[in-house]
Amino acid sequence: MSRDCLTMDKLVSHCKTVGFVYPGSDIYGGLANTWDYGPLGVELKNNVKRSWWKRFVQESTATFGVDAAILMNSRVWDASGHTASFNDPKLDCKSCKTRYRADTLIEEHSKGAVNPDTMTYEEMGAYIAEHHVNCPRCGNHNWTAIRQFNMMFSTSRGVTEEGQDLIYLRPETAQGEFVNFLNVQRTTRAKVPFGIAQIGKSFRNEITPGNFIFRTIEFEQMEHQWFCHADDGARFYEEYKSKAWQYLIDLGFDESELRFKDHEKLAHYAAAACDINYHFPIGWSELNGIHNRTDYDLTRHQEYSGKSMAYLDPVTNTRFVPSVIEYSIGCDRLLLAVLCAAYDEEKLVDDKGREDTRVVMHFHPFLAPYKVAILPLQKKEQGSKAREVFATLSKHFMCTFDDTGSIGKRYRRQDQIGTPFCLTVDFDTLEDDTVTLRDRDSMEQIRLPLSEVVDYVQSRIQFN
Ligand code: GAP
């Protein structure tokens, strides 16, 4: 199945060929580590976002959505600690001028046996010297000292040269949720515990981005902050660990391809932190994080903004600054995992014993870019009826239309892009308004009255 046949290069090539993801600014030779979503990618990504929003906002009585501005007052980043410490340990090869992250070099050199997260900059420098870690590009051992590199992209605003203010492209969406804690609580009259969720773009000047859309400089995050009393923090941390896990299982991930990884080095304010790792073709890597951030975030914003973040509990009549359980997942990273899990090359043998391979994307039907492909058996005979069917069904879900090539070839094209159902309009359709519906995964076909297709498909594409 997918684990055996998939490499990252194969996936990138498949995505470019069929239209999920293209290199950014392609006709100009690209811009390293930027990617554009094509006609299939944009649908898949929207569906990933919808599934998350449905699970964590729509189905919750106590979580509310926001869509905060990307550009925020610079004081936000002072309060959050990003201005001072959103740094990676960078070092440059003095021979070929390539820049690296010291922690990544160590991790790769030790093949994962050494965890650089627990090391100081001095310890990392000593490891690189003692183990004679050479530049992966030119092979020399000619390093600068390890220095801090702030990963926030900065820009300026203001109409005159003199009056320019330094501002940043947000490196995480979380702060838009923290700074709206008071607004959301007041306008929704929510009682603690409650949650604020947001989906949006974040930007990081990563030193070593790469592995396709795994780590990029511009990406989308889906973040959820749960505000609660400190005494309940440990309980809700466990609850969000299971919710985050169950969400992935319900999207169709195999349990054996996922695992929790506790953070060995906690931030000074954190009470607990873990990631869920996924078995990507590049190895086990972080898919999402869950943190018990205590009352650090709201306390810092209280300090820097001068606005009280204290919540008056109407039952106990006590005031406290709420703690936060954060659940954060990269949309693009989840989409990459979805692509990896869905990709399959199936060996088929036809009734004459001939062997064939079909590439098929086994997406959860809710995520699939198109739900139904409408295929007239013969363009001339059934083309116009098929267009009528398209007009009706496309009012309910995304459909695609294909009238070129043999039906077998058209099925294969839809398998490659993960369309769960192929609907064939044939001679009988013109007589009795029935159609053939072919299932992507089982390849079985059923005959249905046209009037039942919408209900049937709707029932099969639910995400619950
Ligand atoms: N507010 C917490 C936060 O931002 P993070 O671990 O830095 O935590 C959360 O990021 C998630 O965002 C990660 O688990 C990953 O899925 C995604 N992510 C982080 N950096 C990324 C990047 N450069 N490219 C793509 N996704 C990224």
Side-chain angles (χ1 to χ4, degrees), residues 271-306:
C274 70
D275 298 331
I276 295 179
N277 285 7
Y278 174 67
H279 193 196
F280 287 96
I282 50 169
W284 286 95
S285 307
E286 177 184 337
L287 184 55
N288 69 232
I290 303 127
H291 292 76
N292 180 346
R293 302 179 58 92
T294 65
D295 63 359
Y296 174 78
D297 304 284
L298 292 188
T299 304
R300 291 278 290 193
H301 284 301
Q302 172 168 279
E303 210 177 291
Y304 279 72
S305 68

Side-chain angles (χ1 to χ4, degrees), residues 164-312:
Q164 299 277 336
D165 287 331
L166 183 67
I167 50 173
Y168 299 96
L169 299 186
R170 68 180 176 203
E172 62 171 15
T173 53
Q175 298 304 323
E177 298 165 326
F178 299 139
V179 302
N180 279 299
F181 168 73
L182 294 176
N183 284 336
V184 173
Q185 198 276 321
R186 180 177 46 82
T187 51
T188 62
R189 291 172 290 112
K191 296 197 173 53
V192 171
F194 73 93
I196 302 184
Q198 166 161 234
I199 299 179
K201 288 258 180 178
S202 293
F203 303 82
R204 294 183 189 178
N205 198 358
E206 300 273 7
I207 299 172
T208 46
N211 285 319
F212 192 28
I213 51 173
F214 180 82
R215 181 173 286 111
T216 49
I217 54 179
E218 172 185 343
F219 54 98
E220 276 191 89
Q221 287 184 305
M222 307 191 287
E223 297 204 278
H224 184 287
Q225 315 296 334
W226 184 252
F227 299 93
C228 61
H229 192 284
D231 292 349
D232 299 322
R235 174 167 67 87
F236 284 125
Y237 173 71
E238 291 305 324
E239 190 176 309
Y240 272 90
K241 275 175 71 177
S242 14
K243 283 186 174 175
W245 180 270
Q246 194 57 46
Y247 168 63
L248 297 171
I249 300 300
D250 293 343
L251 282 182
F253 284 98
D254 192 319
E255 281 205 350
S256 66
E257 304 291 350
L258 298 169
R259 66 184 182 203
F260 281 109
K261 183 168 182 271
D262 285 328
H263 286 199
E264 284 177 31
K265 195 167 93 178
L266 289 181
H268 63 92
Y269 52 82
C274 70
D275 298 331
I276 295 179
N277 285 7
Y278 174 67
H279 193 196
F280 287 96
I282 50 169
W284 286 95
S285 307
E286 177 184 337
L287 184 55
N288 69 232
I290 303 127
H291 292 76
N292 180 346
R293 302 179 58 92
T294 65
D295 63 359
Y296 174 78
D297 304 284
L298 292 188
T299 304
R300 291 278 290 193
H301 284 301
Q302 172 168 279
E303 210 177 291
Y304 279 72
S305 68
K307 294 267 186 307
S308 170
M309 295 287 165
Y311 169 78
L312 175 64

Side-chain angles (χ1 to χ4, degrees), residues 77-78 80-84 86 149-154 168-171 203-205:
W77 307 113
D78 295 337
S80 68
H82 283 81
T83 330
F86 192 52
F149 176 81
N150 194 291
M151 291 197 292
M152 281 198 292
F153 279 107
S154 60
Y168 299 96
L169 299 186
R170 68 180 176 203
F203 303 82
R204 294 183 189 178
N205 198 358

Side-chain angles (χ1 to χ4, degrees), residues 40 54-55 67 75 77 113 194 224 229 235 267 373 386 393 443:
L40 301 174
K54 177 173 188 288
R55 175 60 56 90
D67 183 10
R75 296 277 291 156
W77 307 113
F194 73 93
H224 184 287
H229 192 284
R235 174 167 67 87
L393 298 192
M443 294 189 282

Side-chain angles (χ1 to χ4, degrees), residues 70-81:
I70 287 174
L71 301 174
M72 303 179 84
N73 188 310
S74 300
R75 296 277 291 156
V76 168
W77 307 113
D78 295 337
S80 68

